[in-house]
Amino acid sequence: MAIGQIDHAEAEEVYDIPPDRLPVRFRLISRWRDLLAVIQAIHGLVAARMPLSDGLLELSQGAPNKVLWHIFYWLHRELQGGVTLHEAMENRCDFFPKFCVDLVRAGEESADLEGALEELREEIAEGLAWRQNVFLRLWLIGGSLFIPVVCVAGTMTFVAPQIVAIIAQLGMALPTISAWAIAMHEYGITWVLLLLAFALPTLWLATEYSFIAGGLLARDIAMLTAWVPALGSIARKRHLAGIASILGRLLRAGAPLPRALRSAASSSRSSVFSDGLLRLAYAVEDGESLTESMEKERWLLPASFRTWVALGESSGHLPEALLQIAARYRTQNQTFMRLALEIGMPLIVCLNGAIVFLVYAGLLLPIMRLVSLAE
Protein backbone atom coordinates (compact mmCIF):
# COMPACT_ATOMS: atom_id res chain seq x y z
CA MET A 1 0.00 0.00 0.00
CA ALA A 2 1.43 3.41 -0.94
CA ILE A 3 1.95 6.01 1.73
CA GLY A 4 -0.42 8.40 0.04
CA GLN A 5 -3.23 5.87 0.31
CA ILE A 6 -3.33 5.64 4.10
CA ASP A 7 -4.38 8.02 6.81
CA HIS A 8 -1.46 9.87 8.39
CA ALA A 9 -2.90 9.36 11.85
CA GLU A 10 -2.34 5.63 11.36
CA ALA A 11 0.89 5.89 9.35
CA GLU A 12 3.29 5.70 12.27
CA GLU A 13 1.61 2.55 13.55
CA VAL A 14 1.43 0.98 10.09
CA TYR A 15 5.10 1.63 9.35
CA ASP A 16 6.22 1.06 12.94
CA ILE A 17 8.23 4.30 13.02
CA PRO A 18 8.41 6.03 16.42
CA PRO A 19 7.95 9.79 16.02
CA ASP A 20 11.33 10.56 17.63
CA ARG A 21 13.36 8.01 15.64
CA LEU A 22 14.50 8.29 12.06
CA PRO A 23 14.19 5.18 9.84
CA VAL A 24 17.64 3.79 9.07
CA ARG A 25 19.05 3.59 5.56
CA PHE A 26 22.42 1.88 5.58
CA ARG A 27 23.61 3.22 2.23
CA LEU A 28 25.83 6.19 2.92
CA ILE A 29 25.19 8.09 -0.31
CA SER A 30 21.44 7.67 0.17
CA ARG A 31 21.64 9.66 3.38
CA TRP A 32 22.90 12.74 1.54
CA ARG A 33 20.54 12.16 -1.37
CA ASP A 34 17.62 12.16 1.06
CA LEU A 35 18.85 15.40 2.62
CA LEU A 36 19.23 17.00 -0.80
CA ALA A 37 15.75 15.82 -1.82
CA VAL A 38 14.21 17.37 1.31
CA ILE A 39 15.95 20.71 0.80
CA GLN A 40 15.03 20.79 -2.90
CA ALA A 41 11.40 20.05 -2.06
CA ILE A 42 11.22 22.77 0.60
CA HIS A 43 12.93 25.23 -1.74
CA GLY A 44 10.35 24.43 -4.41
CA LEU A 45 7.50 25.11 -2.00
CA VAL A 46 8.98 28.42 -0.90
CA ALA A 47 9.73 29.49 -4.49
CA ALA A 48 6.14 28.65 -5.49
CA ARG A 49 4.82 30.68 -2.50
CA MET A 50 2.90 27.66 -1.21
CA PRO A 51 2.02 27.23 2.48
CA LEU A 52 4.84 25.12 3.90
CA SER A 53 2.74 23.03 6.24
CA ASP A 54 0.21 22.00 3.59
CA GLY A 55 2.92 21.50 0.99
CA LEU A 56 4.93 19.22 3.26
CA LEU A 57 1.83 17.14 3.93
CA GLU A 58 1.30 16.73 0.20
CA LEU A 59 4.96 15.81 -0.28
CA SER A 60 4.77 13.17 2.41
CA GLN A 61 1.93 11.46 0.56
CA GLY A 62 4.15 10.86 -2.47
CA ALA A 63 7.43 10.22 -0.64
CA PRO A 64 9.44 7.41 -2.29
CA ASN A 65 10.85 5.97 0.96
CA LYS A 66 10.25 5.90 4.70
CA VAL A 67 12.94 8.44 5.51
CA LEU A 68 11.49 11.13 3.26
CA TRP A 69 7.96 10.36 4.42
CA HIS A 70 9.06 10.62 8.03
CA ILE A 71 10.90 13.93 7.56
CA PHE A 72 8.15 15.58 5.49
CA TYR A 73 5.46 14.49 7.89
CA TRP A 74 7.55 15.49 10.91
CA LEU A 75 8.14 18.99 9.52
CA HIS A 76 4.45 19.34 8.65
CA ARG A 77 3.43 18.38 12.17
CA GLU A 78 6.01 20.71 13.76
CA LEU A 79 4.98 23.68 11.63
CA GLN A 80 1.37 23.03 12.49
CA GLY A 81 2.41 23.24 16.13
CA GLY A 82 3.59 26.82 15.63
CA VAL A 83 7.37 26.44 15.43
CA THR A 84 9.49 27.97 12.68
CA LEU A 85 11.15 25.89 9.98
CA HIS A 86 14.63 26.15 11.45
CA GLU A 87 13.32 25.15 14.88
CA ALA A 88 11.62 22.10 13.38
CA MET A 89 14.86 21.17 11.59
CA GLU A 90 16.86 21.71 14.78
CA ASN A 91 14.62 19.17 16.53
CA ARG A 92 15.76 16.60 13.96
CA CYS A 93 19.52 17.04 14.39
CA ASP A 94 19.90 13.35 13.49
CA PHE A 95 18.98 14.29 9.91
CA PHE A 96 19.72 18.01 9.47
CA PRO A 97 23.35 19.09 10.13
CA LYS A 98 23.80 22.27 12.13
CA PHE A 99 24.86 24.36 9.15
CA CYS A 100 21.50 23.52 7.51
CA VAL A 101 19.65 24.81 10.55
CA ASP A 102 21.76 27.97 10.70
CA LEU A 103 21.33 28.71 7.00
CA VAL A 104 17.55 28.37 7.24
CA ARG A 105 17.52 30.51 10.39
CA ALA A 106 19.51 33.21 8.62
CA GLY A 107 17.09 33.10 5.70
CA GLU A 108 14.08 33.40 7.97
CA GLU A 109 15.61 36.30 9.93
CA SER A 110 16.57 38.16 6.76
CA ALA A 111 13.22 37.43 5.05
CA ASP A 112 15.08 35.65 2.23
CA LEU A 113 14.31 32.01 2.95
CA GLU A 114 14.30 31.15 -0.74
CA GLY A 115 17.84 32.45 -1.20
CA ALA A 116 19.07 30.63 1.92
CA LEU A 117 17.53 27.36 0.74
CA GLU A 118 19.18 27.81 -2.66
CA GLU A 119 22.55 28.27 -0.94
CA LEU A 120 21.88 25.18 1.14
CA ARG A 121 20.88 23.15 -1.89
CA GLU A 122 24.10 24.07 -3.69
CA GLU A 123 26.23 23.20 -0.67
CA ILE A 124 24.64 19.78 -0.18
CA ALA A 125 24.78 19.03 -3.92
CA GLU A 126 28.51 19.82 -3.99
CA GLY A 127 29.12 17.65 -0.94
CA LEU A 128 27.15 14.77 -2.45
CA ALA A 129 29.06 14.98 -5.75
CA TRP A 130 32.38 14.92 -3.88
CA ARG A 131 31.37 11.89 -1.79
CA GLN A 132 30.20 9.98 -4.84
CA ASN A 133 33.48 10.75 -6.59
CA VAL A 134 35.60 9.58 -3.65
CA PHE A 135 33.42 6.52 -3.07
CA LEU A 136 33.77 5.29 -6.66
CA ARG A 137 37.52 5.96 -6.85
CA LEU A 138 38.30 4.20 -3.58
CA TRP A 139 36.31 1.12 -4.49
CA LEU A 140 37.91 1.07 -7.94
CA ILE A 141 41.39 1.06 -6.41
CA GLY A 142 40.43 -1.43 -3.70
CA GLY A 143 38.71 -3.77 -6.17
CA SER A 144 41.67 -3.68 -8.58
CA LEU A 145 43.94 -4.82 -5.77
CA PHE A 146 41.54 -7.20 -4.05
CA ILE A 147 40.70 -9.64 -6.85
CA PRO A 148 44.24 -10.74 -7.83
CA VAL A 149 45.41 -10.79 -4.21
CA VAL A 150 42.53 -13.11 -3.27
CA CYS A 151 43.58 -15.49 -6.05
CA VAL A 152 47.20 -15.37 -4.93
CA ALA A 153 46.31 -15.87 -1.25
CA GLY A 154 44.10 -18.85 -2.09
CA THR A 155 46.77 -20.42 -4.27
CA MET A 156 49.50 -19.98 -1.69
CA THR A 157 47.27 -21.29 1.10
CA PHE A 158 45.87 -24.42 -0.56
CA VAL A 159 48.01 -25.27 -3.63
CA ALA A 160 51.55 -24.30 -2.69
CA PRO A 161 51.80 -26.60 0.39
CA GLN A 162 50.88 -29.62 -1.75
CA ILE A 163 53.58 -28.86 -4.32
CA VAL A 164 56.19 -28.21 -1.60
CA ALA A 165 55.34 -31.56 0.04
CA ILE A 166 55.75 -33.43 -3.25
CA ILE A 167 59.07 -31.70 -3.95
CA ALA A 168 60.31 -32.57 -0.44
CA GLN A 169 59.34 -36.25 -0.83
CA LEU A 170 61.34 -36.44 -4.06
CA GLY A 171 64.36 -34.84 -2.37
CA MET A 172 64.45 -31.92 -4.77
CA ALA A 173 65.40 -28.37 -3.82
CA LEU A 174 62.93 -25.56 -4.31
CA PRO A 175 63.90 -22.96 -6.94
CA THR A 176 64.89 -19.59 -5.52
CA ILE A 177 61.85 -17.85 -6.94
CA SER A 178 59.60 -20.47 -5.34
CA ALA A 179 61.29 -19.94 -1.98
CA TRP A 180 60.71 -16.17 -2.33
CA ALA A 181 57.03 -16.67 -3.11
CA ILE A 182 56.51 -19.00 -0.15
CA ALA A 183 58.45 -16.70 2.19
CA MET A 184 56.36 -13.74 1.03
CA HIS A 185 53.20 -15.61 1.95
CA GLU A 186 54.55 -16.95 5.25
CA TYR A 187 55.52 -13.45 6.37
CA GLY A 188 51.94 -12.36 5.73
CA ILE A 189 52.58 -10.01 2.82
CA THR A 190 49.65 -11.36 0.81
CA TRP A 191 47.31 -10.90 3.77
CA VAL A 192 48.61 -7.36 4.32
CA LEU A 193 47.85 -6.53 0.68
CA LEU A 194 44.41 -8.07 1.07
CA LEU A 195 43.82 -5.95 4.17
CA LEU A 196 44.95 -2.81 2.33
CA ALA A 197 42.48 -3.55 -0.45
CA PHE A 198 39.70 -3.33 2.15
CA ALA A 199 41.26 -0.67 4.33
CA LEU A 200 40.86 2.49 2.23
CA PRO A 201 37.18 2.20 1.25
CA THR A 202 36.16 0.62 4.56
CA LEU A 203 37.93 3.25 6.65
CA TRP A 204 36.42 6.03 4.59
CA LEU A 205 32.92 4.58 4.97
CA ALA A 206 33.39 4.15 8.73
CA THR A 207 34.58 7.75 9.00
CA GLU A 208 31.61 9.09 7.06
CA TYR A 209 29.10 7.10 9.11
CA SER A 210 30.80 8.29 12.30
CA PHE A 211 30.60 11.90 11.09
CA ILE A 212 26.88 11.54 10.38
CA ALA A 213 26.23 9.95 13.78
CA GLY A 214 28.36 12.52 15.61
CA GLY A 215 30.83 9.88 16.76
CA LEU A 216 34.47 10.31 17.72
CA LEU A 217 35.93 8.11 14.98
CA ALA A 218 35.68 10.84 12.34
CA ARG A 219 37.56 13.30 14.55
CA ASP A 220 40.22 10.74 15.47
CA ILE A 221 40.82 9.83 11.81
CA ALA A 222 41.02 13.52 10.92
CA MET A 223 43.71 14.02 13.57
CA LEU A 224 45.68 10.99 12.35
CA THR A 225 45.58 11.94 8.67
CA ALA A 226 46.76 15.44 9.52
CA TRP A 227 50.17 13.94 10.40
CA VAL A 228 50.54 11.95 7.16
CA PRO A 229 52.81 13.99 4.81
CA ALA A 230 50.81 13.71 1.58
CA LEU A 231 47.33 13.00 2.92
CA GLY A 232 47.66 15.61 5.66
CA SER A 233 47.89 18.50 3.20
CA ILE A 234 44.95 17.22 1.17
CA ALA A 235 42.83 16.57 4.27
CA ARG A 236 43.65 20.03 5.57
CA LYS A 237 42.53 21.68 2.33
CA ARG A 238 39.39 19.59 2.34
CA HIS A 239 38.53 20.81 5.85
CA LEU A 240 39.32 24.39 4.90
CA ALA A 241 37.18 24.15 1.76
CA GLY A 242 34.20 22.94 3.79
CA ILE A 243 34.71 25.62 6.43
CA ALA A 244 35.05 28.41 3.86
CA SER A 245 32.00 27.24 1.92
CA ILE A 246 29.76 27.04 4.99
CA LEU A 247 30.99 30.41 6.28
CA GLY A 248 30.50 32.07 2.91
CA ARG A 249 27.00 30.73 2.41
CA LEU A 250 25.92 31.60 5.96
CA LEU A 251 27.25 35.15 5.66
CA ARG A 252 25.65 35.59 2.24
CA ALA A 253 22.34 34.44 3.73
CA GLY A 254 22.64 37.11 6.43
CA ALA A 255 23.90 35.11 9.44
CA PRO A 256 26.04 37.02 11.98
CA LEU A 257 29.75 36.20 11.75
CA PRO A 258 30.08 34.65 15.26
CA ARG A 259 27.13 32.34 14.61
CA ALA A 260 28.54 31.39 11.22
CA LEU A 261 31.89 30.55 12.81
CA ARG A 262 30.21 28.37 15.45
CA SER A 263 28.17 26.59 12.80
CA ALA A 264 31.30 25.89 10.76
CA ALA A 265 33.00 24.64 13.94
CA SER A 266 30.22 22.16 14.62
CA SER A 267 30.29 20.98 11.00
CA SER A 268 34.04 20.32 10.97
CA ARG A 269 35.10 16.74 11.64
CA SER A 270 38.53 17.94 12.82
CA SER A 271 38.65 18.91 16.50
CA VAL A 272 41.68 21.10 15.75
CA PHE A 273 39.76 23.21 13.24
CA SER A 274 36.63 23.13 15.38
CA ASP A 275 38.47 24.53 18.41
CA GLY A 276 40.20 27.14 16.25
CA LEU A 277 36.90 28.35 14.79
CA LEU A 278 35.39 28.67 18.26
CA ARG A 279 38.35 30.81 19.32
CA LEU A 280 37.75 32.99 16.25
CA ALA A 281 34.07 33.34 17.21
CA TYR A 282 34.99 34.50 20.71
CA ALA A 283 37.55 36.98 19.33
CA VAL A 284 35.03 38.44 16.86
CA GLU A 285 32.47 38.82 19.64
CA ASP A 286 35.09 40.75 21.63
CA GLY A 287 35.32 43.30 18.82
CA GLU A 288 38.21 42.03 16.71
CA SER A 289 37.96 41.78 12.95
CA LEU A 290 38.11 38.35 11.36
CA THR A 291 41.45 39.23 9.78
CA GLU A 292 42.96 40.23 13.13
CA SER A 293 41.67 37.16 14.89
CA MET A 294 42.98 34.88 12.13
CA GLU A 295 46.49 36.27 12.58
CA LYS A 296 46.47 34.63 16.02
CA GLU A 297 45.72 31.30 14.31
CA ARG A 298 48.58 31.46 11.80
CA TRP A 299 49.66 27.94 12.73
CA LEU A 300 46.21 26.62 11.77
CA LEU A 301 45.19 28.69 8.74
CA PRO A 302 47.53 28.93 5.72
CA ALA A 303 48.66 32.28 4.34
CA SER A 304 46.49 31.98 1.22
CA PHE A 305 43.38 31.51 3.35
CA ARG A 306 44.18 34.50 5.54
CA THR A 307 45.03 36.69 2.53
CA TRP A 308 41.74 35.97 0.76
CA VAL A 309 39.80 36.66 3.97
CA ALA A 310 41.66 39.94 4.51
CA LEU A 311 40.95 41.07 0.96
CA GLY A 312 37.31 40.10 1.21
CA GLU A 313 36.80 41.78 4.56
CA SER A 314 38.50 45.00 3.47
CA SER A 315 36.46 45.17 0.25
CA GLY A 316 33.16 44.29 1.90
CA HIS A 317 32.82 41.05 -0.08
CA LEU A 318 33.80 38.51 2.55
CA PRO A 319 31.16 35.87 1.58
CA GLU A 320 32.32 35.89 -2.04
CA ALA A 321 35.98 35.67 -0.98
CA LEU A 322 35.23 32.67 1.24
CA LEU A 323 33.36 30.91 -1.55
CA GLN A 324 36.31 31.56 -3.87
CA ILE A 325 38.60 29.94 -1.31
CA ALA A 326 36.31 26.92 -1.10
CA ALA A 327 36.17 26.57 -4.89
CA ARG A 328 39.95 26.87 -5.16
CA TYR A 329 40.71 24.26 -2.51
CA ARG A 330 38.10 21.87 -3.85
CA THR A 331 39.58 22.16 -7.32
CA GLN A 332 43.02 21.36 -5.91
CA ASN A 333 41.60 18.34 -4.09
CA GLN A 334 39.90 17.06 -7.23
CA THR A 335 43.11 17.54 -9.21
CA PHE A 336 45.05 15.56 -6.61
CA MET A 337 42.46 12.76 -6.64
CA ARG A 338 42.56 12.57 -10.44
CA LEU A 339 46.35 12.46 -10.48
CA ALA A 340 46.37 9.86 -7.70
CA LEU A 341 44.04 7.66 -9.73
CA GLU A 342 45.93 8.17 -12.98
CA ILE A 343 49.25 7.35 -11.31
CA GLY A 344 47.99 4.89 -8.73
CA MET A 345 46.10 2.60 -11.08
CA PRO A 346 49.13 1.79 -13.30
CA LEU A 347 51.21 1.25 -10.16
CA ILE A 348 48.57 -1.14 -8.80
CA VAL A 349 48.51 -3.00 -12.11
CA CYS A 350 52.31 -3.32 -12.03
CA LEU A 351 52.21 -4.47 -8.40
CA ASN A 352 49.54 -7.05 -9.18
CA GLY A 353 51.56 -8.27 -12.16
CA ALA A 354 54.73 -8.61 -10.08
CA ILE A 355 52.93 -10.52 -7.34
CA VAL A 356 51.17 -12.85 -9.76
CA PHE A 357 54.39 -13.47 -11.71
CA LEU A 358 56.38 -14.21 -8.55
CA VAL A 359 53.78 -16.59 -7.13
CA TYR A 360 52.78 -18.49 -10.23
CA ALA A 361 56.31 -18.64 -11.65
CA GLY A 362 57.41 -19.99 -8.27
CA LEU A 363 54.76 -22.70 -8.50
CA LEU A 364 55.26 -23.54 -12.18
CA LEU A 365 59.00 -24.11 -11.91
CA PRO A 366 58.64 -27.08 -9.49
CA ILE A 367 55.82 -28.49 -11.62
CA MET A 368 57.98 -28.28 -14.74
CA ARG A 369 60.79 -30.11 -12.92
CA LEU A 370 58.37 -32.85 -11.91
CA VAL A 371 57.25 -33.18 -15.53
CA SER A 372 60.85 -33.43 -16.72
CA LEU A 373 61.57 -36.14 -14.15
CA ALA A 374 58.52 -38.08 -15.21
CA GLU A 375 59.71 -38.07 -18.81
Side-chain angles (χ1 to χ4, degrees), residues 109-123:
E109 292 176 351
S110 63
D112 187 19
L113 182 57
E114 181 181 352
L117 288 169
E118 177 62 23
E119 294 282 352
L120 183 55
R121 185 196 64 79
E122 292 178 2
E123 178 64 25

Side-chain angles (χ1 to χ4, degrees), residues 48-328:
R49 304 295 187 269
M50 293 180 61
L52 270 182
S53 179
D54 295 340
L56 289 167
L57 180 61
E58 292 295 325
L59 288 172
S60 69
Q61 294 177 350
N65 59 62
K66 293 181 181 181
V67 173
L68 292 181
W69 169 80
H70 190 82
I71 292 299
F72 286 139
Y73 187 50
W74 167 273
L75 292 175
H76 155 73
R77 192 171 54 185
E78 291 289 293
L79 292 177
Q80 272 195 330
V83 303
T84 61
L85 179 59
H86 84 267
E87 290 173 340
M89 294 170 65
E90 192 171 17
N91 291 334
R92 293 318 308 252
C93 58
D94 57 340
F95 185 79
F96 295 103
K98 191 176 187 303
F99 74 88
C100 295
V101 178
D102 289 339
L103 260 172
V104 172
R105 177 190 298 175
E108 289 179 328
E109 292 176 351
S110 63
D112 187 19
L113 182 57
E114 181 181 352
L117 288 169
E118 177 62 23
E119 294 282 352
L120 183 55
R121 185 196 64 79
E122 292 178 2
E123 178 64 25
I124 296 172
E126 289 178 2
L128 176 61
W130 183 87
R131 285 177 173 84
Q132 288 175 324
N133 192 14
V134 174
F135 181 79
L136 292 175
R137 290 173 187 266
L138 286 178
W139 280 109
L140 177 61
I141 293 174
S144 301
L145 186 61
F146 173 76
I147 295 173
V149 173
V150 165
C151 297
V152 168
T155 302
M156 296 303 297
T157 302
F158 300 105
V159 179
Q162 305 296 328
I163 297 177
V164 171
I166 295 173
I167 294 294
Q169 289 177 0
L170 296 175
M172 298 171 57
L174 280 175
T176 303
I177 193 171
S178 304
W180 287 351
I182 293 171
M184 180 184 71
H185 182 68
E186 289 178 347
Y187 282 114
I189 295 178
T190 52
W191 302 115
V192 169
L193 291 174
L194 191 60
L195 179 63
L196 287 176
F198 272 113
L200 288 177
T202 304
L203 185 61
W204 183 79
L205 285 174
T207 304
E208 289 294 322
Y209 275 116
S210 174
F211 179 63
I212 291 173
L216 297 177
L217 179 61
R219 294 182 179 270
D220 293 339
I221 295 298
M223 291 182 64
L224 289 175
T225 54
W227 295 96
V228 180
L231 292 178
S233 176
I234 299 302
R236 188 182 186 192
K237 288 186 176 181
R238 179 198 168 190
H239 293 318
L240 288 171
I243 289 168
S245 182
I246 291 173
L247 280 176
R249 295 188 188 281
L250 282 167
L251 293 176
R252 196 156 68 176
L257 182 55
R259 184 196 298 169
L261 288 167
R262 287 193 173 88
S263 178
S266 67
S267 301
S268 175
R269 66 185 64 198
S270 170
S271 59
V272 175
F273 282 103
S274 180
D275 295 341
L277 290 169
L278 290 177
R279 289 193 296 269
L280 292 178
Y282 293 135
V284 170
E285 286 179 333
D286 290 338
E288 294 184 12
S289 67
L290 184 59
T291 303
E292 293 172 344
S293 59
M294 281 188 173
E295 286 300 317
K296 300 177 182 178
E297 305 291 338
R298 297 173 64 91
W299 64 275
L300 180 63
L301 302 172
S304 60
F305 192 98
R306 301 195 308 271
T307 300
W308 277 85
V309 169
L311 291 173
E313 196 169 31
S314 62
S315 64
H317 297 284
L318 181 57
E320 288 73 16
L322 287 165
L323 291 175
Q324 286 293 328
I325 295 171
R328 180 181 178 184

